[in-house]
Amino acid sequence: MPIELAKGVYWVGVTDWGIRHFHGFELSVHRGTTYNSYLIMDEKIALVDTVWSPHSEEFLARVRELVDPTKIDYVVVNHAEPDHSSSLPALMKLCPNATVVVSKNGATSVPGHYHENWNFKTVKTGDRISLGKNELVFVEATMLHWPDTMFCYLTGEQILMSNDAFGQHYATAFLFNDLVNQEELYEEALKYFANILTPYTDKILKKIDEILALNLPVKMIAPSHGVIWRQDPLQIVKQYQEWSLQKPAPTAVILYDTMWHATEKMAKAIAEGLIECGIDCKVSHAATADSNDLMVEIFKAKLVVLGSCTYNNGILPSMAKILEEMRGLRFKNKIGAAFGSYGWSGECVKSIEEIFQKSGIPLVRPGLRVKWQPGDADLKLCREFGRELAAATKG
Ligand code: FEO
C-alpha cells in the first residue's frame, strides 16, 4: 500500500524484510532494508528513484494504485546503483515518453547500466523543474557515494530526498523515525555510515555546509533506504557532521585470528593489559566475526590492535579479508599495533604493519611476536604491551 508522507507525496517503495546480504555478499544487513521510491502528484507527476529489480512488480503495483504509469512526466534517477535504478527498464516500458532526470555523471552511469535511448535531461546544482504548485530543486552530491549521486528537494512540502545519504538498512513496520526503536535506528544509521560513507567524510562536511547555506527549510529528509526523518529531521544531519569528524572514543578493538590458540592467548593477555589501565576494549575473532559489524567497532575506537599467526609467510586469510575492508574505508584519527605468534619464518607482524601503513594508521610501537606457544614470560610481555597501548590511547 502506498503511504502518503505529505499532501500529494507518496512512498511507493518496497520493504525487503528477508535480505541479509547486500552489494552481493559485501554488506551484512541484519534487519533487512527498504528501497524507497517517492511519487509526487502535482500538475505534473514525478517519480523519484525506483527499487531493486527483483521487486519491480510490487513497486509498479504500488505506483498503479495511485496513477496510471503512462501519466508520469518525470522520473528522477538520483543514483544509478541497481538497488535504486534497476526497475527503470520495467517502468520506462510503461511511460516511454517520460523525461529521465539525471546529474551530469548520471548522464553516463544510467545509460551505462541500461543502454536505452530514453529522453534524458541533465541537471546541476540549483536547477529547478516546476511540477505546477511545487518545484524540484537539484543538488549534486558527487561521491556520496558514487560520482552520479544527487539529492532533490521538493518545495512546498519541503522534503529533501537524499538518496543513500541519511539512510539505513532497516526494514520496519512503520516508515517514520518517530515510530521506530531509536536504538535500532541509530545502530543501523551508524553501520550504514561507517561501512559506506567513511571514505568520504570530508566531502560530507562540505556538502552539508553547502546545503545548509541554501537555507532551504526542511520538514522531512526522505532517504532511499530505511525510515524517513520527519521528527526533528536535522538530527541526522547533525549526527552526520559529528560522525564525519571521526573523533573516536579512547577505546580499543583487538581483532585476531589463530590456528592453535597461541595468537588468541596473546590477544587475551593484551586485552588484560588494556583493561587494567581502564581502557574499554572489544576482542573479536576474525574467523567468526561479521566484518561489517567490526567496521562499526573500529569506526568508534581509537586503538586498533591486530593479530594473526604467521601463515604461508603472511597472515591468515580471514584477517586479510577484513583488513582489506579496513584499508578501503580510510579511517582517520586511529592508532594501531600488531601482534602474532609464529613457528619459523614469522612474517605476521610485518604483514599487518604494512596494512596499517596502507590504511594510514600510525603504529604506537613495533609489533609483538611470540615463537610457538606463549609461556608465562611471553604473556607478561603481552600484558605490558597492552599497558603501553593503553597509555597511547589515553594520550
Ligand atoms: Fe543504495 Fe548506492 O545504493
Side-chain angles (χ1 to χ4, degrees):
M1 197 169 69
I3 296 169
E4 190 170 28
L5 319 183
K7 195 167 176 344
V9 185
Y10 299 86
W11 176 87
V12 288
V14 166
T15 302
D16 192 346
W17 294 97
I19 192 168
R20 289 295 178 268
H21 298 282
F22 202 79
H23 289 158
F25 268 75
E26 185 270 328
L27 182 66
S28 63
V29 289
H30 305 315
R31 295 189 173 101
T33 194
T34 72
Y35 314 101
N36 297 340
S37 168
Y38 301 104
L39 184 71
I40 304 161
M41 312 266 282
D42 200 331
E43 288 160 30
K44 300 275 186 188
I45 295 173
L47 185 70
V48 178
D49 292 320
T50 71
V51 307
W52 189 29
S53 56
H55 303 278
S56 290
E57 277 185 31
E58 182 180 339
F59 158 66
L60 291 173
R62 202 155 277 140
V63 172
R64 279 195 192 95
E65 283 187 51
L66 295 166
V67 69
D68 171 356
T70 61
K71 303 259 188 311
I72 294 173
D73 298 287
Y74 296 103
V75 178
V76 178
V77 184
N78 279 323
H79 173 36
E81 195 162 8
D83 51 326
H84 307 297
S85 75
S86 59
S87 289
L88 269 177
L91 173 72
M92 293 306 293
K93 279 198 177 93
L94 305 175
C95 53
N97 297 319
T99 301
V100 178
V101 183
V102 291
S103 65
K104 184 168 146 251
N105 291 319
T108 54
S109 64
V110 177
H113 279 74
Y114 303 109
H115 308 280
E116 293 279 358
N117 201 16
W118 296 319
N119 176 25
F120 287 103
K121 178 179 174 65
T122 302
V123 290
K124 59 182 185 315
T125 297
D127 284 355
R128 291 170 176 249
I129 290 178
S130 173
L131 301 178
K133 292 188 190 67
N134 301 312
E135 288 180 308
L136 282 173
V137 185
F138 299 93
V139 180
E140 290 158 284
T142 308
M143 293 317 295
L144 298 182
H145 65 124
W146 274 22
D148 60 3
T149 303
M150 175 168 81
F151 300 167
C152 61
Y153 173 81
L154 181 67
T155 62
E157 295 304 331
Q158 304 176 346
I159 302 173
L160 179 68
M161 285 164 274
S162 57
N163 197 259
D164 282 321
F166 312 122
Q168 333 89 45
H169 286 303
Y170 187 29
T172 54
F174 306 108
L175 190 61
F176 299 98
N177 69 314
D178 50 306
L179 301 180
V180 301
N181 180 300
Q182 299 301 294
E183 203 174 311
E184 288 182 0
L185 171 60
Y186 271 93
E187 208 174 289
E188 294 303 336
L190 175 58
K191 182 171 177 177
Y192 196 96
F193 186 97
N195 280 277
I196 297 172
L197 295 170
T198 298
Y200 312 115
T201 49
D202 289 345
K203 287 184 195 302
I204 291 169
L205 286 169
K206 280 194 196 130
K207 185 53 62 180
I208 288 175
D209 285 347
E210 186 190 317
I211 292 171
L212 294 177
L214 296 173
N215 276 323
L216 300 169
V218 175
K219 273 193 201 154
M220 276 186 215
I221 295 178
S224 56
H225 296 290
V227 299
I228 293 164
W229 304 87
R230 71 175 179 187
Q231 184 182 66
D232 183 15
L234 292 182
Q235 65 179 283
I236 189 62
V237 177
K238 288 179 201 139
Q239 187 65 75
Y240 264 44
Q241 285 174 311
E242 195 183 315
W243 286 337
S244 294
L245 294 173
Q246 297 203 49
K247 285 191 176 162
T251 59
V253 168
I254 300 176
L255 174 67
Y256 71 94
D257 202 0
T258 194
M259 289 175 76
W260 296 105
H261 304 287
T263 301
E264 182 179 49
K265 287 174 193 158
M266 293 179 74
K268 287 183 173 174
I270 293 167
E272 283 171 12
L274 283 161
I275 293 164
E276 259 178 50
C277 300
I279 297 292
D280 186 1
C281 82
K282 289 207 161 67
V283 182
S284 292
H285 179 203
T288 54
D290 178 298
S291 63
N292 303 114
D293 293 340
L294 257 171
M295 291 306 122
V296 176
E297 295 306 330
I298 291 176
F299 181 86
K300 291 192 276 193
K302 180 173 175 183
L303 174 67
V304 184
V305 192
L306 303 172
S308 171
C309 56
T310 297
Y311 176 75
N312 290 342
N313 305 105
I315 58 175
L316 286 166
S318 56
M319 281 296 287
K321 177 183 172 293
I322 293 176
L323 299 194
E324 176 56 16
E325 202 150 339
M326 183 188 83
R327 183 203 59 73
L329 290 176
R330 307 199 291 271
F331 290 110
K332 290 182 182 161
N333 305 324
K334 311 266 175 229
I335 52 177
F339 67 98
S341 64
Y342 70 106
W344 49 102
S345 60
E347 291 91 342
C348 52
V349 160
K350 181 170 158 278
S351 300
I352 293 171
E353 289 181 347
E354 283 170 4
I355 295 165
F356 271 127
Q357 193 189 10
K358 285 183 193 160
S359 307
I361 298 178
L363 297 170
V364 176
R365 51 152 288 164
L368 182 62
R369 288 190 316 169
V370 166
K371 190 160 185 172
W372 305 121
Q373 290 284 337
D376 288 346
D378 299 310
L379 293 173
K380 199 169 156 209
L381 273 180
C382 289
R383 285 190 284 275
E384 179 50 37
F385 186 75
R387 287 192 286 272
E388 209 178 310
L389 300 182
T393 307
K394 289 177 181 173

